[in-house]
Amino acid sequence: MPSSDQTITTIIATLGEFLSSDQLLTSEEELRPYECDGLSAYKRVPLAVTLPNTIEEVQKIMRICSARNIPVVARGAGTGLSGGALPDENGIILGLSRFNQILEIDEENQLARVQPGVRNLAISQAAAPYELFYAPDPSSQIACSIGGNVAENSGGVHSLKYGLTVHNVHAITIITSDGDLVTMGSAALDRAGYDLLGLMTGSEGMLGIIVEIVVRLLPKPKETVVLLAAFNSNSEAASAVAAIIGAGIIPAGLEMMDKLSIQAAEDFAHAGYPTDAEAILLCELDGSSIQVVEEKDRVTELFKSHNATSVQTATTAEEQARLWAGRKSAFPAVGRISPDYYCMDGTIPRMELPAVLDKISDLSTIYDLRVANVFHAGDGNLHPLILYDANNPGEFDRAEEFGSEILKTCVDAGGTITGEHGVGSEKIDQMCYQFSDDELEFFHAIKDAFDPKGYLNPGKAVPTLHRCAELGQMHVHNGELPHPDIPRF
Amino acid sequence: MSNNTTQQFLEEQVQDALENEQALNIQGFGSKRFYGNTSIDGKTLDTSIHSGIVTYVPSELCITVKAGTPLKELEAALEKNNQILPFEPPHFGENSSIGGIIATGMSGPRRAYSGSVRDAILGVKIINGFGKTVSFGGQVMKNVAGYDVSRLLVGSLGTLGVILELSIRVIPKPEVEKTVILPSNQSDAIKYFNSIRKAGLPISATCHVDEEVHIRLAGSNTHINHLIEKKHWHCMDGADAFWESIRNQTHTFFSDSDKPLWRMSVAAASSPSVQLDNHQLVEWGGALRWIKSKSPPNVIQGVAKKRDGEAILFNGEMAGVDAFPSPEKIMFELHERLKRKLDPKGIFNPDRMYKGL
């Protein structure tokens, strides 16, 4: 519903009654920085950006927007990779960056009570004096905010052992679509009633606005070891992954990189990676000294019995940091060898790794676009990076189609279109592929229960049945698609 | 009946119930029948007929089973591959189904150390309030497509749909588990739990009862033996039977009085609450406190609330007292709105969780 100029003026005036000029941004140059999140291929300018300082201000904003049916898009640090915080042209951004306080570290209960705008890494830093840390560590952890982590149910390198955000949050306080304040969860381990805390986690700003979070902290492991193994093929590396898990070892992290990403990362970070390898595995083990030593020996043996061509062991913090540097800089490193890249995020059962990697390689030939694979092998979460050049007409569309085919491959292999980045704006069409109409209707029913007016982050995360029907029709008439010359299967 | 037929049979019964606006009382083997509000109306829908393991590849750390699968059968299949359910669910009877564990969300001694039912659930297939079969989540640990319906179903007491199938994350069975015991009163036990939590020891269960602290350690043989030696700890004989009696509440603590059994889920480090009844059993490093008490419910709730938690009437009758405390107004409204949207005819286990829901 496009708003008339008069409506816009009225809303801005109403918001201006309690928000100061540095809390209510309306000019073109102030709004531009908010036009996209970490997925910069999608851009829209909102009507206004609000930056409340207090919970009461959030409630007022929500009540005003609810009454006038103005779309509200919540935003933390804006590092999301699926366009979840992409603005609505007829709506406002509710920026939570000023909610940036760590309210309490409860050492005895090992909990931290924080505001949503606090950066992920800042929690672990604040907990460090108590020998505690916050486990989920998305690669953007220096910049991303905990509110966004909860909204997206973020993962990270260590989720294989320590779980996702949902496993590490005790309680949240939200503002409902009616502007009411309610707390879900507590310092206890469970409560009676529906698991609304679980439902809110990963709901992408569609069900309410998170204003306070209690996260679980863990004691820092006494010992850590990082192993790097090189392989002559992706499939040998993939079967080593299955062997480690099958042997009853749960590493803190188990990451895989393919040849293109190894080379890009080595050129960029000089981590000492074997650039002649087809694939490498990075395996981090942590815990008590005895346990780590035992597991290190067993993993080394398994690597060797799965034809690893070399195994490096890093026991000091410096050596470990060097080995991780390559993996952690893989995305920017790939950014140097291609003008643009498109990061995918499907998950598949581990046993499907070799087959899916082969399929991605076939698709790469068909779409004539290079792809670098960097991913969380331990939990089957793939991050193929499709390399393209946005300056070449049609190449972005081709990259998007390639990406879409990868996600369908993941669904067909028994997996999902998104492991940790969320659906947002980006993968909304692929939702039609993963879910039936009845399932999508179930999602819409949940949305209706929380947000009957549908003004919270409209058009994201769950497609309308109408959209899926149109998309289905489009797929039937292959000839009408943008690239009729590309074979589809 | 073959499995397709049992699913179809259950679907037909739900569709009939929808047509006749007849409430259903969903039940597996009935081992958790005592839990929640028990005096509910409804035609029994027997889910125990829908049984069997669907897929299980041990290296995937995931098992997919039909809801009526007996827990015994499921655990035996995992045992063969040296794996276990991370949440060590209570059986409460000779026969109990995994569907009932998901619906009640019940976890056992291991819960505080390797996660709860809701932490382990990866996917569900249900018959919804429109008589349609729908699936959510899957068999992979990382999956954020759509709302997390699987977790919503855990502990929903069958009020949102009929669970047909579920996928659960499993974990490797520890090479060895040994239990040590130390004499202690409750107050010292809670302090002790705080200190070992901080030390990050390889613990898989804790319990304080009868003036003794029990700590179950899990890991490799070398590691655990080294630890026990270093700390000069005393190992317990018959530890398996002890934990079994805690898990399934056959320990004398649970059976030696006719007082109602209250379950207090509170902040782990919060102070003891001996004023209610000094005969208590503490688990989960202090976060779970079982109390047999005839104290008025509002007094018990007050004690739990002060410790940032809540108490539920877990087992036993008290006239006019509901099993679960009423949530605050806005929270209850959210429950009602969800229930109305997902089960518009109100056929699934009405009143079982909250009266009027």
Side-chain angles (χ1 to χ4, degrees), chain A residues 411 414-418 434-435 439 443, chain B residues 121-125 134-151 166-167:
Chain A
V411 175
T416 176
I417 58 169
T418 173
Q434 185 166 340
F435 294 100
E439 288 155 357
F443 290 146
Chain B
I121 191 109
L122 298 175
V124 289
K125 186 199 262 189
V134 284
S135 299
F136 300 98
Q139 299 173 17
V140 292
M141 196 176 116
K142 278 177 151 180
N143 186 352
V144 293
Y147 303 123
D148 199 338
V149 178
S150 314
R151 280 193 178 81
L166 39 111
S167 298

Side-chain angles (χ1 to χ4, degrees), chain A residues 95-358:
Chain A
L96 291 149
S97 52
R98 303 207 174 163
F99 285 77
N100 59 1
Q101 296 302 305
I102 293 175
L103 302 170
E104 185 190 359
I105 302 280
D106 176 350
E107 187 186 2
E108 287 211 311
N109 286 303
Q110 298 183 352
L111 300 171
R113 194 159 60 86
V114 301
Q115 292 188 319
V118 169
R119 289 173 308 113
N120 173 297
L121 190 61
I123 301 175
S124 285
Q125 285 166 344
Y130 308 95
E131 293 292 311
L132 298 169
F133 77 113
Y134 175 64
D137 57 345
S139 54
S140 55
Q141 72 176 147
I142 304 172
C144 65
S145 63
I146 186 70
N149 288 179
V150 177
E152 299 292 324
N153 191 14
S154 304
V157 169
H158 293 105
S159 57
L160 179 59
K161 181 168 179 178
Y162 296 108
L164 309 166
T165 302
V166 72
H167 301 106
N168 291 279
V169 172
H170 261 256
I172 54 173
T173 300
I174 68 157
I175 309 294
T176 66
S177 68
D178 298 326
D180 294 321
L181 188 73
V182 64
T183 297
M184 298 160 171
S186 70
L189 288 175
D190 56 25
R191 284 185 93 80
Y194 295 146
D195 186 2
L196 300 186
L197 169 61
L199 187 62
M200 280 296 301
T201 308
S203 64
E204 304 197 20
M206 306 277 289
L207 306 181
I209 306 295
I210 301 163
V211 292
E212 198 177 297
I213 302 155
V214 178
V215 298
R216 177 173 78 139
L217 304 172
L218 295 174
K220 277 193 193 167
K222 299 265 180 293
E223 199 78 47
T224 304
V225 156
V226 178
L227 301 173
L228 183 146
F231 295 87
N232 277 330
S233 72
N234 282 332
S235 58
E236 279 172 333
S239 52
V241 170
I244 292 169
I245 307 287
I249 299 166
I250 309 284
L254 188 53
E255 302 284 303
M256 183 162 159
M257 291 169 74
D258 71 358
K259 187 163 195 149
L260 187 54
S261 38
I262 297 167
Q263 289 171 345
E266 184 55 28
D267 284 348
F268 184 74
H270 311 293
Y273 287 0
T275 45
D276 54 341
E278 285 297 318
I280 57 165
L281 288 177
L282 269 175
C283 176
E284 182 170 303
L285 300 161
D286 69 11
S288 73
S289 322
I290 296 181
Q291 172 212 335
V292 168
V293 169
E294 282 181 342
E295 288 184 350
K296 182 198 74 185
D297 291 346
R298 290 176 66 200
V299 170
T300 307
E301 232 165 81
L302 287 166
F303 280 152
K304 288 184 178 158
S305 63
H306 285 79
N307 304 328
T309 52
S310 67
V311 181
Q312 294 181 43
T313 308
T315 46
T316 67
E318 295 72 40
E319 286 172 331
Q320 290 168 11
R322 178 177 60 83
L323 289 189
W324 275 117
R327 166 63 185 91
K328 289 192 172 168
S329 63
F331 289 17
V334 166
R336 289 207 323 174
I337 60 166
S338 171
D340 301 281
Y341 68 87
Y342 187 39
C343 174
M344 308 310 297
D345 171 46
T347 306
I348 53 168
R350 272 180 293 271
M351 61 183 170
E352 302 290 343
L353 270 173
V356 170
L357 290 176
D358 282 350

Side-chain angles (χ1 to χ4, degrees), chain B residues 128-242:
Chain B
N128 71 12
F130 302 88
K132 300 281 175 51
T133 295
V134 284
S135 299
F136 300 98
Q139 299 173 17
V140 292
M141 196 176 116
K142 278 177 151 180
N143 186 352
V144 293
Y147 303 123
D148 199 338
V149 178
S150 314
R151 280 193 178 81
L152 178 64
L153 267 291
V154 175
S156 67
L157 285 166
T159 59
L160 298 176
V162 179
I163 302 173
L164 287 175
E165 235 174 76
L166 39 111
S167 298
I168 318 166
R169 179 174 136 89
V170 299
I171 56 171
K173 186 182 173 183
E175 188 183 316
V176 62
E177 286 195 299
K178 289 191 176 176
T179 299
V180 295
I181 31 176
L182 310 158
S184 169
N185 60 28
Q186 198 195 123
S187 170
D188 288 343
I190 287 171
K191 284 183 201 141
Y192 191 63
F193 288 148
N194 292 344
S195 71
I196 55 176
R197 185 166 43 242
K198 196 159 181 210
L201 296 180
I203 297 170
S204 73
T206 45
C207 178
H208 177 262
V209 66
D210 298 335
E211 302 296 299
E212 277 180 331
V213 169
H214 301 68
I215 301 162
R216 188 173 68 189
L217 302 158
S220 76
N221 210 12
T222 337
H223 184 198
I224 299 306
N225 284 341
H226 173 84
L227 189 66
I228 290 171
E229 227 166 88
K230 196 173 88 183
K231 302 253 179 191
H232 306 292
W233 272 336
H234 171 66
C235 259
M236 181 193 189
D237 293 328
D240 288 354
F242 171 76

